[in-house]
Amino acid sequence: MIGEFRRVGNMLFLSHLVDVSSGNMSARVKDGVWITKTGRSLYNLRGKDIVKIGFERDIRWETASSEVEIHINIYKNIPDARAIVHAHPEATVLLSLLDLKTIEPLDYEGFLFLKKVDILEIPYNTWDLAKDAIPDYFKNSSKTIVVAKGHGVFAYSETLFKAAQLVAALENSSKLLLGVKYGGKD
């Protein structure tokens, strides 16, 4: 398990999808969830950087990512969710601040993997609502990726790698979209 967390965490960091200590990941197992600990860098993760928790709050939740309730509620509501990646890709977050409701990739890869990605507006002063808003969005939309305006991206899939692949595809599409739509045209 730690090998997959390390491999995907390194990819996210080296691809600039997370910074030194942002982002988090989790993977559902038969009897709980492995999740990165709060404040840990996703780069070069070690065993002490992830914690196994149950689906009900207990003392172990205190060391888990600050987004633990979002992860748990996604797993409780989406049976197909086996792994979750939360990242802060710069171009995607920038697009979310431009009052867009969706990000619609112009490139083939983005269109193929993503079609259109919605942007949820959850005000910072009510971020605690995200623990229900993001899982509810996934449950009601049948989509596997969403942007929280000004914050970052949440994606789920059957593996950490596939969830990270969605985040990377969105960030690449966001960079291209920024260049084409907002890239210094007079």
Side-chain angles (χ1 to χ4, degrees), residues 103-128:
I103 297 173
E104 298 184 43
L106 300 174
D107 61 300
Y108 177 75
E109 294 294 324
F111 175 78
L112 183 67
F113 285 111
L114 305 168
K115 307 289 186 261
K116 170 171 86 168
V117 178
D118 293 321
I119 300 169
L120 295 181
E121 188 162 346
I122 306 167
Y124 305 139
N125 62 340
T126 60
W127 183 248
D128 60 313

mmCIF file with all atom_site columns, all heavy atoms in Angstrom, residues 103-128:
data_model
loop_
_atom_site.group_PDB
_atom_site.id
_atom_site.type_symbol
_atom_site.label_atom_id
_atom_site.label_alt_id
_atom_site.label_comp_id
_atom_site.label_asym_id
_atom_site.label_entity_id
_atom_site.label_seq_id
_atom_site.pdbx_PDB_ins_code
_atom_site.Cartn_x
_atom_site.Cartn_y
_atom_site.Cartn_z
_atom_site.occupancy
_atom_site.B_iso_or_equiv
_atom_site.pdbx_formal_charge
_atom_site.auth_seq_id
_atom_site.auth_comp_id
_atom_site.auth_asym_id
_atom_site.auth_atom_id
_atom_site.pdbx_PDB_model_num
ATOM 1   N N   . ILE A 1 103 ? -15.259 23.815 -16.470 1.00 0.00 ? 103 ILE A N   1
ATOM 2   C CA  . ILE A 1 103 ? -14.057 23.844 -17.293 1.00 0.00 ? 103 ILE A CA  1
ATOM 3   C C   . ILE A 1 103 ? -14.299 22.846 -18.417 1.00 0.00 ? 103 ILE A C   1
ATOM 4   O O   . ILE A 1 103 ? -14.516 21.660 -18.158 1.00 0.00 ? 103 ILE A O   1
ATOM 5   C CB  . ILE A 1 103 ? -12.795 23.487 -16.479 1.00 0.00 ? 103 ILE A CB  1
ATOM 6   C CG1 . ILE A 1 103 ? -12.564 24.528 -15.383 1.00 0.00 ? 103 ILE A CG1 1
ATOM 7   C CG2 . ILE A 1 103 ? -11.580 23.355 -17.397 1.00 0.00 ? 103 ILE A CG2 1
ATOM 8   C CD1 . ILE A 1 103 ? -11.440 24.182 -14.420 1.00 0.00 ? 103 ILE A CD1 1
ATOM 9   N N   . GLU A 1 104 ? -14.301 23.362 -19.654 1.00 0.00 ? 104 GLU A N   1
ATOM 10  C CA  . GLU A 1 104 ? -14.549 22.515 -20.813 1.00 0.00 ? 104 GLU A CA  1
ATOM 11  C C   . GLU A 1 104 ? -13.274 22.435 -21.640 1.00 0.00 ? 104 GLU A C   1
ATOM 12  O O   . GLU A 1 104 ? -12.929 23.379 -22.335 1.00 0.00 ? 104 GLU A O   1
ATOM 13  C CB  . GLU A 1 104 ? -15.708 23.072 -21.631 1.00 0.00 ? 104 GLU A CB  1
ATOM 14  C CG  . GLU A 1 104 ? -17.005 23.091 -20.831 1.00 0.00 ? 104 GLU A CG  1
ATOM 15  C CD  . GLU A 1 104 ? -18.204 23.544 -21.640 1.00 0.00 ? 104 GLU A CD  1
ATOM 16  O OE1 . GLU A 1 104 ? -18.331 23.104 -22.814 1.00 0.00 ? 104 GLU A OE1 1
ATOM 17  O OE2 . GLU A 1 104 ? -19.005 24.315 -21.104 1.00 0.00 ? 104 GLU A OE2 1
ATOM 18  N N   . PRO A 1 105 ? -12.569 21.307 -21.553 1.00 0.00 ? 105 PRO A N   1
ATOM 19  C CA  . PRO A 1 105 ? -11.302 21.163 -22.275 1.00 0.00 ? 105 PRO A CA  1
ATOM 20  C C   . PRO A 1 105 ? -11.453 21.379 -23.774 1.00 0.00 ? 105 PRO A C   1
ATOM 21  O O   . PRO A 1 105 ? -12.442 20.952 -24.387 1.00 0.00 ? 105 PRO A O   1
ATOM 22  C CB  . PRO A 1 105 ? -10.882 19.723 -21.980 1.00 0.00 ? 105 PRO A CB  1
ATOM 23  C CG  . PRO A 1 105 ? -11.569 19.395 -20.691 1.00 0.00 ? 105 PRO A CG  1
ATOM 24  C CD  . PRO A 1 105 ? -12.885 20.120 -20.759 1.00 0.00 ? 105 PRO A CD  1
ATOM 25  N N   . LEU A 1 106 ? -10.458 22.029 -24.354 1.00 0.00 ? 106 LEU A N   1
ATOM 26  C CA  . LEU A 1 106 ? -10.395 22.234 -25.799 1.00 0.00 ? 106 LEU A CA  1
ATOM 27  C C   . LEU A 1 106 ? -9.549  21.162 -26.478 1.00 0.00 ? 106 LEU A C   1
ATOM 28  O O   . LEU A 1 106 ? -9.651  20.974 -27.683 1.00 0.00 ? 106 LEU A O   1
ATOM 29  C CB  . LEU A 1 106 ? -9.797  23.617 -26.103 1.00 0.00 ? 106 LEU A CB  1
ATOM 30  C CG  . LEU A 1 106 ? -10.549 24.818 -25.550 1.00 0.00 ? 106 LEU A CG  1
ATOM 31  C CD1 . LEU A 1 106 ? -9.757  26.092 -25.803 1.00 0.00 ? 106 LEU A CD1 1
ATOM 32  C CD2 . LEU A 1 106 ? -11.940 24.906 -26.172 1.00 0.00 ? 106 LEU A CD2 1
ATOM 33  N N   . ASP A 1 107 ? -8.720  20.492 -25.691 1.00 0.00 ? 107 ASP A N   1
ATOM 34  C CA  . ASP A 1 107 ? -7.791  19.504 -26.239 1.00 0.00 ? 107 ASP A CA  1
ATOM 35  C C   . ASP A 1 107 ? -8.421  18.117 -26.271 1.00 0.00 ? 107 ASP A C   1
ATOM 36  O O   . ASP A 1 107 ? -9.357  17.825 -25.528 1.00 0.00 ? 107 ASP A O   1
ATOM 37  C CB  . ASP A 1 107 ? -6.497  19.476 -25.415 1.00 0.00 ? 107 ASP A CB  1
ATOM 38  C CG  . ASP A 1 107 ? -6.740  19.082 -23.975 1.00 0.00 ? 107 ASP A CG  1
ATOM 39  O OD1 . ASP A 1 107 ? -7.503  19.800 -23.285 1.00 0.00 ? 107 ASP A OD1 1
ATOM 40  O OD2 . ASP A 1 107 ? -6.181  18.061 -23.527 1.00 0.00 ? 107 ASP A OD2 1
ATOM 41  N N   . TYR A 1 108 ? -7.896  17.282 -27.137 1.00 0.00 ? 108 TYR A N   1
ATOM 42  C CA  . TYR A 1 108 ? -8.446  15.943 -27.333 1.00 0.00 ? 108 TYR A CA  1
ATOM 43  C C   . TYR A 1 108 ? -8.388  15.098 -26.058 1.00 0.00 ? 108 TYR A C   1
ATOM 44  O O   . TYR A 1 108 ? -9.371  14.467 -25.677 1.00 0.00 ? 108 TYR A O   1
ATOM 45  C CB  . TYR A 1 108 ? -7.711  15.231 -28.478 1.00 0.00 ? 108 TYR A CB  1
ATOM 46  C CG  . TYR A 1 108 ? -8.203  13.814 -28.671 1.00 0.00 ? 108 TYR A CG  1
ATOM 47  C CD1 . TYR A 1 108 ? -9.431  13.566 -29.270 1.00 0.00 ? 108 TYR A CD1 1
ATOM 48  C CD2 . TYR A 1 108 ? -7.448  12.733 -28.233 1.00 0.00 ? 108 TYR A CD2 1
ATOM 49  C CE1 . TYR A 1 108 ? -9.894  12.274 -29.437 1.00 0.00 ? 108 TYR A CE1 1
ATOM 50  C CE2 . TYR A 1 108 ? -7.911  11.429 -28.399 1.00 0.00 ? 108 TYR A CE2 1
ATOM 51  C CZ  . TYR A 1 108 ? -9.132  11.214 -28.998 1.00 0.00 ? 108 TYR A CZ  1
ATOM 52  O OH  . TYR A 1 108 ? -9.598  9.942  -29.146 1.00 0.00 ? 108 TYR A OH  1
ATOM 53  N N   . GLU A 1 109 ? -7.223  15.059 -25.406 1.00 0.00 ? 109 GLU A N   1
ATOM 54  C CA  . GLU A 1 109 ? -7.081  14.230 -24.197 1.00 0.00 ? 109 GLU A CA  1
ATOM 55  C C   . GLU A 1 109 ? -8.057  14.670 -23.113 1.00 0.00 ? 109 GLU A C   1
ATOM 56  O O   . GLU A 1 109 ? -8.697  13.850 -22.456 1.00 0.00 ? 109 GLU A O   1
ATOM 57  C CB  . GLU A 1 109 ? -5.651  14.296 -23.659 1.00 0.00 ? 109 GLU A CB  1
ATOM 58  C CG  . GLU A 1 109 ? -4.613  13.687 -24.557 1.00 0.00 ? 109 GLU A CG  1
ATOM 59  C CD  . GLU A 1 109 ? -4.760  12.192 -24.719 1.00 0.00 ? 109 GLU A CD  1
ATOM 60  O OE1 . GLU A 1 109 ? -5.137  11.492 -23.764 1.00 0.00 ? 109 GLU A OE1 1
ATOM 61  O OE2 . GLU A 1 109 ? -4.491  11.709 -25.834 1.00 0.00 ? 109 GLU A OE2 1
ATOM 62  N N   . GLY A 1 110 ? -8.158  15.975 -22.895 1.00 0.00 ? 110 GLY A N   1
ATOM 63  C CA  . GLY A 1 110 ? -9.082  16.491 -21.890 1.00 0.00 ? 110 GLY A CA  1
ATOM 64  C C   . GLY A 1 110 ? -10.517 16.145 -22.218 1.00 0.00 ? 110 GLY A C   1
ATOM 65  O O   . GLY A 1 110 ? -11.284 15.718 -21.358 1.00 0.00 ? 110 GLY A O   1
ATOM 66  N N   . PHE A 1 111 ? -10.880 16.312 -23.485 1.00 0.00 ? 111 PHE A N   1
ATOM 67  C CA  . PHE A 1 111 ? -12.233 15.963 -23.902 1.00 0.00 ? 111 PHE A CA  1
ATOM 68  C C   . PHE A 1 111 ? -12.492 14.474 -23.722 1.00 0.00 ? 111 PHE A C   1
ATOM 69  O O   . PHE A 1 111 ? -13.536 14.074 -23.222 1.00 0.00 ? 111 PHE A O   1
ATOM 70  C CB  . PHE A 1 111 ? -12.473 16.370 -25.356 1.00 0.00 ? 111 PHE A CB  1
ATOM 71  C CG  . PHE A 1 111 ? -13.811 15.928 -25.865 1.00 0.00 ? 111 PHE A CG  1
ATOM 72  C CD1 . PHE A 1 111 ? -14.958 16.624 -25.519 1.00 0.00 ? 111 PHE A CD1 1
ATOM 73  C CD2 . PHE A 1 111 ? -13.936 14.785 -26.650 1.00 0.00 ? 111 PHE A CD2 1
ATOM 74  C CE1 . PHE A 1 111 ? -16.206 16.199 -25.954 1.00 0.00 ? 111 PHE A CE1 1
ATOM 75  C CE2 . PHE A 1 111 ? -15.169 14.350 -27.088 1.00 0.00 ? 111 PHE A CE2 1
ATOM 76  C CZ  . PHE A 1 111 ? -16.317 15.065 -26.741 1.00 0.00 ? 111 PHE A CZ  1
ATOM 77  N N   . LEU A 1 112 ? -11.531 13.663 -24.101 1.00 0.00 ? 112 LEU A N   1
ATOM 78  C CA  . LEU A 1 112 ? -11.677 12.215 -24.020 1.00 0.00 ? 112 LEU A CA  1
ATOM 79  C C   . LEU A 1 112 ? -11.873 11.742 -22.586 1.00 0.00 ? 112 LEU A C   1
ATOM 80  O O   . LEU A 1 112 ? -12.768 10.958 -22.291 1.00 0.00 ? 112 LEU A O   1
ATOM 81  C CB  . LEU A 1 112 ? -10.445 11.539 -24.638 1.00 0.00 ? 112 LEU A CB  1
ATOM 82  C CG  . LEU A 1 112 ? -10.454 10.021 -24.708 1.00 0.00 ? 112 LEU A CG  1
ATOM 83  C CD1 . LEU A 1 112 ? -11.525 9.537  -25.677 1.00 0.00 ? 112 LEU A CD1 1
ATOM 84  C CD2 . LEU A 1 112 ? -9.088  9.520  -25.156 1.00 0.00 ? 112 LEU A CD2 1
ATOM 85  N N   . PHE A 1 113 ? -11.021 12.236 -21.660 1.00 0.00 ? 113 PHE A N   1
ATOM 86  C CA  . PHE A 1 113 ? -11.060 11.771 -20.271 1.00 0.00 ? 113 PHE A CA  1
ATOM 87  C C   . PHE A 1 113 ? -12.074 12.507 -19.403 1.00 0.00 ? 113 PHE A C   1
ATOM 88  O O   . PHE A 1 113 ? -12.580 11.947 -18.437 1.00 0.00 ? 113 PHE A O   1
ATOM 89  C CB  . PHE A 1 113 ? -9.682  11.908 -19.616 1.00 0.00 ? 113 PHE A CB  1
ATOM 90  C CG  . PHE A 1 113 ? -8.688  10.878 -20.061 1.00 0.00 ? 113 PHE A CG  1
ATOM 91  C CD1 . PHE A 1 113 ? -7.601  11.242 -20.846 1.00 0.00 ? 113 PHE A CD1 1
ATOM 92  C CD2 . PHE A 1 113 ? -8.836  9.545  -19.722 1.00 0.00 ? 113 PHE A CD2 1
ATOM 93  C CE1 . PHE A 1 113 ? -6.686  10.304 -21.265 1.00 0.00 ? 113 PHE A CE1 1
ATOM 94  C CE2 . PHE A 1 113 ? -7.931  8.593  -20.140 1.00 0.00 ? 113 PHE A CE2 1
ATOM 95  C CZ  . PHE A 1 113 ? -6.850  8.971  -20.917 1.00 0.00 ? 113 PHE A CZ  1
ATOM 96  N N   . LEU A 1 114 ? -12.366 13.760 -19.728 1.00 0.00 ? 114 LEU A N   1
ATOM 97  C CA  . LEU A 1 114 ? -13.107 14.599 -18.789 1.00 0.00 ? 114 LEU A CA  1
ATOM 98  C C   . LEU A 1 114 ? -14.442 15.119 -19.301 1.00 0.00 ? 114 LEU A C   1
ATOM 99  O O   . LEU A 1 114 ? -15.334 15.387 -18.505 1.00 0.00 ? 114 LEU A O   1
ATOM 100 C CB  . LEU A 1 114 ? -12.249 15.807 -18.394 1.00 0.00 ? 114 LEU A CB  1
ATOM 101 C CG  . LEU A 1 114 ? -10.869 15.495 -17.834 1.00 0.00 ? 114 LEU A CG  1
ATOM 102 C CD1 . LEU A 1 114 ? -10.032 16.762 -17.768 1.00 0.00 ? 114 LEU A CD1 1
ATOM 103 C CD2 . LEU A 1 114 ? -10.980 14.838 -16.468 1.00 0.00 ? 114 LEU A CD2 1
ATOM 104 N N   . LYS A 1 115 ? -14.546 15.365 -20.564 1.00 0.00 ? 115 LYS A N   1
ATOM 105 C CA  . LYS A 1 115 ? -15.708 16.030 -21.181 1.00 0.00 ? 115 LYS A CA  1
ATOM 106 C C   . LYS A 1 115 ? -15.837 17.455 -20.639 1.00 0.00 ? 115 LYS A C   1
ATOM 107 O O   . LYS A 1 115 ? -15.388 18.383 -21.246 1.00 0.00 ? 115 LYS A O   1
ATOM 108 C CB  . LYS A 1 115 ? -17.008 15.258 -20.960 1.00 0.00 ? 115 LYS A CB  1
ATOM 109 C CG  . LYS A 1 115 ? -16.975 13.802 -21.375 1.00 0.00 ? 115 LYS A CG  1
ATOM 110 C CD  . LYS A 1 115 ? -16.940 13.638 -22.860 1.00 0.00 ? 115 LYS A CD  1
ATOM 111 C CE  . LYS A 1 115 ? -17.064 12.209 -23.265 1.00 0.00 ? 115 LYS A CE  1
ATOM 112 N NZ  . LYS A 1 115 ? -15.832 11.555 -23.584 1.00 0.00 ? 115 LYS A NZ  1
ATOM 113 N N   . LYS A 1 116 ? -16.428 17.603 -19.477 1.00 0.00 ? 116 LYS A N   1
ATOM 114 C CA  . LYS A 1 116 ? -16.660 18.907 -18.859 1.00 0.00 ? 116 LYS A CA  1
ATOM 115 C C   . LYS A 1 116 ? -16.574 18.703 -17.350 1.00 0.00 ? 116 LYS A C   1
ATOM 116 O O   . LYS A 1 116 ? -17.131 17.743 -16.828 1.00 0.00 ? 116 LYS A O   1
ATOM 117 C CB  . LYS A 1 116 ? -18.035 19.393 -19.294 1.00 0.00 ? 116 LYS A CB  1
ATOM 118 C CG  . LYS A 1 116 ? -18.564 20.589 -18.597 1.00 0.00 ? 116 LYS A CG  1
ATOM 119 C CD  . LYS A 1 116 ? -19.829 21.103 -19.260 1.00 0.00 ? 116 LYS A CD  1
ATOM 120 C CE  . LYS A 1 116 ? -21.047 20.399 -18.755 1.00 0.00 ? 116 LYS A CE  1
ATOM 121 N NZ  . LYS A 1 116 ? -22.306 21.062 -19.153 1.00 0.00 ? 116 LYS A NZ  1
ATOM 122 N N   . VAL A 1 117 ? -15.880 19.603 -16.660 1.00 0.00 ? 117 VAL A N   1
ATOM 123 C CA  . VAL A 1 117 ? -15.706 19.478 -15.210 1.00 0.00 ? 117 VAL A CA  1
ATOM 124 C C   . VAL A 1 117 ? -16.377 20.661 -14.525 1.00 0.00 ? 117 VAL A C   1
ATOM 125 O O   . VAL A 1 117 ? -16.098 21.822 -14.848 1.00 0.00 ? 117 VAL A O   1
ATOM 126 C CB  . VAL A 1 117 ? -14.208 19.411 -14.823 1.00 0.00 ? 117 VAL A CB  1
ATOM 127 C CG1 . VAL A 1 117 ? -14.050 19.323 -13.314 1.00 0.00 ? 117 VAL A CG1 1
ATOM 128 C CG2 . VAL A 1 117 ? -13.538 18.227 -15.519 1.00 0.00 ? 117 VAL A CG2 1
ATOM 129 N N   . ASP A 1 118 ? -17.258 20.354 -13.595 1.00 0.00 ? 118 ASP A N   1
ATOM 130 C CA  . ASP A 1 118 ? -17.984 21.398 -12.875 1.00 0.00 ? 118 ASP A CA  1
ATOM 131 C C   . ASP A 1 118 ? -17.130 22.034 -11.787 1.00 0.00 ? 118 ASP A C   1
ATOM 132 O O   . ASP A 1 118 ? -16.216 21.404 -11.242 1.00 0.00 ? 118 ASP A O   1
ATOM 133 C CB  . ASP A 1 118 ? -19.254 20.810 -12.243 1.00 0.00 ? 118 ASP A CB  1
ATOM 134 C CG  . ASP A 1 118 ? -20.264 20.388 -13.294 1.00 0.00 ? 118 ASP A CG  1
ATOM 135 O OD1 . ASP A 1 118 ? -20.420 21.107 -14.305 1.00 0.00 ? 118 ASP A OD1 1
ATOM 136 O OD2 . ASP A 1 118 ? -20.906 19.334 -13.103 1.00 0.00 ? 118 ASP A OD2 1
ATOM 137 N N   . ILE A 1 119 ? -17.470 23.283 -11.485 1.00 0.00 ? 119 ILE A N   1
ATOM 138 C CA  . ILE A 1 119 ? -16.819 24.030 -10.410 1.00 0.00 ? 119 ILE A CA  1
ATOM 139 C C   . ILE A 1 119 ? -17.868 24.302 -9.340  1.00 0.00 ? 119 ILE A C   1
ATOM 140 O O   . ILE A 1 119 ? -18.900 24.920 -9.616  1.00 0.00 ? 119 ILE A O   1
ATOM 141 C CB  . ILE A 1 119 ? -16.239 25.359 -10.936 1.00 0.00 ? 119 ILE A CB  1
ATOM 142 C CG1 . ILE A 1 119 ? -15.202 25.084 -12.024 1.00 0.00 ? 119 ILE A CG1 1
ATOM 143 C CG2 . ILE A 1 119 ? -15.648 26.176 -9.787  1.00 0.00 ? 119 ILE A CG2 1
ATOM 144 C CD1 . ILE A 1 119 ? -14.759 26.321 -12.791 1.00 0.00 ? 119 ILE A CD1 1
ATOM 145 N N   . LEU A 1 120 ? -17.611 23.800 -8.139  1.00 0.00 ? 120 LEU A N   1
ATOM 146 C CA  . LEU A 1 120 ? -18.513 24.038 -7.007  1.00 0.00 ? 120 LEU A CA  1
ATOM 147 C C   . LEU A 1 120 ? -18.044 25.256 -6.232  1.00 0.00 ? 120 LEU A C   1
ATOM 148 O O   . LEU A 1 120 ? -16.856 25.397 -5.948  1.00 0.00 ? 120 LEU A O   1
ATOM 149 C CB  . LEU A 1 120 ? -18.510 22.845 -6.043  1.00 0.00 ? 120 LEU A CB  1
ATOM 150 C CG  . LEU A 1 120 ? -19.042 21.516 -6.534  1.00 0.00 ? 120 LEU A CG  1
ATOM 151 C CD1 . LEU A 1 120 ? -18.967 20.487 -5.419  1.00 0.00 ? 120 LEU A CD1 1
ATOM 152 C CD2 . LEU A 1 120 ? -20.466 21.657 -7.030  1.00 0.00 ? 120 LEU A CD2 1
ATOM 153 N N   . GLU A 1 121 ? -18.981 26.099 -5.863  1.00 0.00 ? 121 GLU A N   1
ATOM 154 C CA  . GLU A 1 121 ? -18.633 27.259 -5.049  1.00 0.00 ? 121 GLU A CA  1
ATOM 155 C C   . GLU A 1 121 ? -19.019 26.966 -3.603  1.00 0.00 ? 121 GLU A C   1
ATOM 156 O O   . GLU A 1 121 ? -20.202 26.874 -3.272  1.00 0.00 ? 121 GLU A O   1
ATOM 157 C CB  . GLU A 1 121 ? -19.344 28.515 -5.548  1.00 0.00 ? 121 GLU A CB  1
ATOM 158 C CG  . GLU A 1 121 ? -18.851 29.739 -4.833  1.00 0.00 ? 121 GLU A CG  1
ATOM 159 C CD  . GLU A 1 121 ? -19.174 31.026 -5.564  1.00 0.00 ? 121 GLU A CD  1
ATOM 160 O OE1 . GLU A 1 121 ? -19.542 30.971 -6.751  1.00 0.00 ? 121 GLU A OE1 1
ATOM 161 O OE2 . GLU A 1 121 ? -19.034 32.078 -4.928  1.00 0.00 ? 121 GLU A OE2 1
ATOM 162 N N   . ILE A 1 122 ? -17.994 26.782 -2.787  1.00 0.00 ? 122 ILE A N   1
ATOM 163 C CA  . ILE A 1 122 ? -18.185 26.560 -1.352  1.00 0.00 ? 122 ILE A CA  1
ATOM 164 C C   . ILE A 1 122 ? -17.377 27.656 -0.656  1.00 0.00 ? 122 ILE A C   1
ATOM 165 O O   . ILE A 1 122 ? -16.151 27.585 -0.642  1.00 0.00 ? 122 ILE A O   1
ATOM 166 C CB  . ILE A 1 122 ? -17.695 25.163 -0.910  1.00 0.00 ? 122 ILE A CB  1
ATOM 167 C CG1 . ILE A 1 122 ? -18.364 24.078 -1.758  1.00 0.00 ? 122 ILE A CG1 1
ATOM 168 C CG2 . ILE A 1 122 ? -17.960 24.943 0.577   1.00 0.00 ? 122 ILE A CG2 1
ATOM 169 C CD1 . ILE A 1 122 ? -17.732 22.702 -1.614  1.00 0.00 ? 122 ILE A CD1 1
ATOM 170 N N   . PRO A 1 123 ? -18.048 28.682 -0.156  1.00 0.00 ? 123 PRO A N   1
ATOM 171 C CA  . PRO A 1 123 ? -17.306 29.807 0.452   1.00 0.00 ? 123 PRO A CA  1
ATOM 172 C C   . PRO A 1 123 ? -16.343 29.329 1.539   1.00 0.00 ? 123 PRO A C   1
ATOM 173 O O   . PRO A 1 123 ? -16.638 28.404 2.295   1.00 0.00 ? 123 PRO A O   1
ATOM 174 C CB  . PRO A 1 123 ? -18.411 30.685 1.036   1.00 0.00 ? 123 PRO A CB  1
ATOM 175 C CG  . PRO A 1 123 ? -19.622 30.353 0.217   1.00 0.00 ? 123 PRO A CG  1
ATOM 176 C CD  . PRO A 1 123 ? -19.496 28.888 -0.106  1.00 0.00 ? 123 PRO A CD  1
ATOM 177 N N   . TYR A 1 124 ? -15.180 29.983 1.580   1.00 0.00 ? 124 TYR A N   1
ATOM 178 C CA  . TYR A 1 124 ? -14.142 29.592 2.533   1.00 0.00 ? 124 TYR A CA  1
ATOM 179 C C   . TYR A 1 124 ? -14.638 29.623 3.969   1.00 0.00 ? 124 TYR A C   1
ATOM 180 O O   . TYR A 1 124 ? -14.278 28.773 4.771   1.00 0.00 ? 124 TYR A O   1
ATOM 181 C CB  . TYR A 1 124 ? -12.911 30.496 2.411   1.00 0.00 ? 124 TYR A CB  1
ATOM 182 C CG  . TYR A 1 124 ? -12.337 30.577 1.020   1.00 0.00 ? 124 TYR A CG  1
ATOM 183 C CD1 . TYR A 1 124 ? -11.900 31.782 0.507   1.00 0.00 ? 124 TYR A CD1 1
ATOM 184 C CD2 . TYR A 1 124 ? -12.225 29.449 0.215   1.00 0.00 ? 124 TYR A CD2 1
ATOM 185 C CE1 . TYR A 1 124 ? -11.366 31.869 -0.771  1.00 0.00 ? 124 TYR A CE1 1
ATOM 186 C CE2 . TYR A 1 124 ? -11.699 29.527 -1.057  1.00 0.00 ? 124 TYR A CE2 1
ATOM 187 C CZ  . TYR A 1 124 ? -11.269 30.737 -1.549  1.00 0.00 ? 124 TYR A CZ  1
ATOM 188 O OH  . TYR A 1 124 ? -10.747 30.821 -2.807  1.00 0.00 ? 124 TYR A OH  1
ATOM 189 N N   . ASN A 1 125 ? -15.488 30.611 4.295   1.00 0.00 ? 125 ASN A N   1
ATOM 190 C CA  . ASN A 1 125 ? -15.950 30.722 5.683   1.00 0.00 ? 125 ASN A CA  1
ATOM 191 C C   . ASN A 1 125 ? -16.999 29.670 6.042   1.00 0.00 ? 125 ASN A C   1
ATOM 192 O O   . ASN A 1 125 ? -17.406 29.576 7.199   1.00 0.00 ? 125 ASN A O   1
ATOM 193 C CB  . ASN A 1 125 ? -16.481 32.131 5.965   1.00 0.00 ? 125 ASN A CB  1
ATOM 194 C CG  . ASN A 1 125 ? -17.688 32.496 5.115   1.00 0.00 ? 125 ASN A CG  1
ATOM 195 O OD1 . ASN A 1 125 ? -17.927 31.886 4.076   1.00 0.00 ? 125 ASN A OD1 1
ATOM 196 N ND2 . ASN A 1 125 ? -18.435 33.494 5.538   1.00 0.00 ? 125 ASN A ND2 1
ATOM 197 N N   . THR A 1 126 ? -17.392 28.864 5.057   1.00 0.00 ? 126 THR A N   1
ATOM 198 C CA  . THR A 1 126 ? -18.310 27.746 5.332   1.00 0.00 ? 126 THR A CA  1
ATOM 199 C C   . THR A 1 126 ? -17.743 26.441 4.775   1.00 0.00 ? 126 THR A C   1
ATOM 200 O O   . THR A 1 126 ? -18.501 25.561 4.366   1.00 0.00 ? 126 THR A O   1
ATOM 201 C CB  . THR A 1 126 ? -19.709 28.014 4.727   1.00 0.00 ? 126 THR A CB  1
ATOM 202 O OG1 . THR A 1 126 ? -19.580 28.172 3.314   1.00 0.00 ? 126 THR A OG1 1
ATOM 203 C CG2 . THR A 1 126 ? -20.362 29.234 5.351   1.00 0.00 ? 126 THR A CG2 1
ATOM 204 N N   . TRP A 1 127 ? -16.403 26.337 4.760   1.00 0.00 ? 127 TRP A N   1
ATOM 205 C CA  . TRP A 1 127 ? -15.764 25.159 4.170   1.00 0.00 ? 127 TRP A CA  1
ATOM 206 C C   . TRP A 1 127 ? -16.220 23.864 4.824   1.00 0.00 ? 127 TRP A C   1
ATOM 207 O O   . TRP A 1 127 ? -16.214 22.800 4.196   1.00 0.00 ? 127 TRP A O   1
ATOM 208 C CB  . TRP A 1 127 ? -14.240 25.279 4.206   1.00 0.00 ? 127 TRP A CB  1
ATOM 209 C CG  . TRP A 1 127 ? -13.585 24.098 3.533   1.00 0.00 ? 127 TRP A CG  1
ATOM 210 C CD1 . TRP A 1 127 ? -12.841 23.121 4.117   1.00 0.00 ? 127 TRP A CD1 1
ATOM 211 C CD2 . TRP A 1 127 ? -13.660 23.746 2.149   1.00 0.00 ? 127 TRP A CD2 1
ATOM 212 N NE1 . TRP A 1 127 ? -12.443 22.192 3.185   1.00 0.00 ? 127 TRP A NE1 1
ATOM 213 C CE2 . TRP A 1 127 ? -12.932 22.547 1.961   1.00 0.00 ? 127 TRP A CE2 1
ATOM 214 C CE3 . TRP A 1 127 ? -14.277 24.322 1.037   1.00 0.00 ? 127 TRP A CE3 1
ATOM 215 C CZ2 . TRP A 1 127 ? -12.799 21.926 0.726   1.00 0.00 ? 127 TRP A CZ2 1
ATOM 216 C CZ3 . TRP A 1 127 ? -14.140 23.693 -0.203  1.00 0.00 ? 127 TRP A CZ3 1
ATOM 217 C CH2 . TRP A 1 127 ? -13.409 22.509 -0.342  1.00 0.00 ? 127 TRP A CH2 1
ATOM 218 N N   . ASP A 1 128 ? -16.659 23.904 6.073   1.00 0.00 ? 128 ASP A N   1
ATOM 219 C CA  . ASP A 1 128 ? -17.141 22.688 6.732   1.00 0.00 ? 128 ASP A CA  1
ATOM 220 C C   . ASP A 1 128 ? -18.318 22.069 5.971   1.00 0.00 ? 128 ASP A C   1
ATOM 221 O O   . ASP A 1 128 ? -18.587 20.876 6.103   1.00 0.00 ? 128 ASP A O   1
ATOM 222 C CB  . ASP A 1 128 ? -17.494 22.958 8.195   1.00 0.00 ? 128 ASP A CB  1
ATOM 223 C CG  . ASP A 1 128 ? -18.574 24.012 8.368   1.00 0.00 ? 128 ASP A CG  1
ATOM 224 O OD1 . ASP A 1 128 ? -18.482 25.081 7.713   1.00 0.00 ? 128 ASP A OD1 1
ATOM 225 O OD2 . ASP A 1 128 ? -19.506 23.771 9.155   1.00 0.00 ? 128 ASP A OD2 1
#
